[in-house]
Amino acid sequence: THQASFGVEKPSIQSPKNFNHVLNWKTTWGKISTGFVGRTVFGRYPDYAGILKGSIQDDGSLVGYWFQITSRQKCGYSLDDTYHWGTFRFDSFTRGEFYGKWAYCDDASGSGGIWDGKRISSKKVE
């Protein structure tokens, strides 16, 4: 089975509860809430019952995978216990407004379309 765990011990479609802080975003595909554990980012986008897992790069972009229970395209193999996944890249993520692109499965980067977003609020989690 393939996994995209980014250092997480149990990489099923869930995210840890021990976020350092939470950021909320208004995006092309609905609201996303992201949490950080070091440079690893986990996110939820409820409009599609989706999860994001990514890593912040040196240039401030966020690169990773999205996972859903279902989507318009079923991948040829399972990743993190689902056949409905793909890749994304959010450029300028650390600046509070990102310009993104996504793809189904392991298709060419950006072939799914754009995924832009702007931070709308943040809160510290104790």
Side-chain angles (χ1 to χ4, degrees), residues 8-71:
V8 177
E9 290 182 14
K10 294 183 179 180
S12 59
I13 301 181
Q14 53 188 301
S15 52
K17 295 185 179 7
N18 61 338
F19 290 150
N20 295 21
H21 59 280
V22 174
L23 298 176
N24 294 307
W25 307 83
K26 181 179 179 183
T27 80
T28 308
W29 297 99
K31 183 181 173 188
I32 296 176
S33 294
T34 56
F36 301 78
V37 179
R39 291 179 76 144
T40 302
V41 176
F42 298 89
R44 293 186 180 97
Y45 51 104
D47 289 358
Y48 294 86
I51 297 289
L52 298 176
K53 294 182 183 179
S55 181
I56 296 177
Q57 307 300 298
D58 289 339
D59 66 2
S61 63
L62 176 64
V63 176
Y65 293 89
W66 59 266
F67 305 93
Q68 296 176 184
I69 296 169
T70 187
S71 67

Side-chain angles (χ1 to χ4, degrees), residues 60-103:
S61 63
L62 176 64
V63 176
Y65 293 89
W66 59 266
F67 305 93
Q68 296 176 184
I69 296 169
T70 187
S71 67
R72 289 185 183 170
Q73 184 172 325
K74 183 178 178 181
C75 299
Y77 58 92
S78 173
L79 190 65
D80 278 19
D81 301 322
T82 183
Y83 284 90
H84 301 277
W85 58 271
T87 60
F88 70 89
R89 178 182 181 91
F90 297 162
D91 290 325
S92 302
F93 181 79
T94 58
R95 294 188 184 147
E97 186 170 6
F98 62 81
Y99 304 94
K101 56 187 177 180
W102 65 277

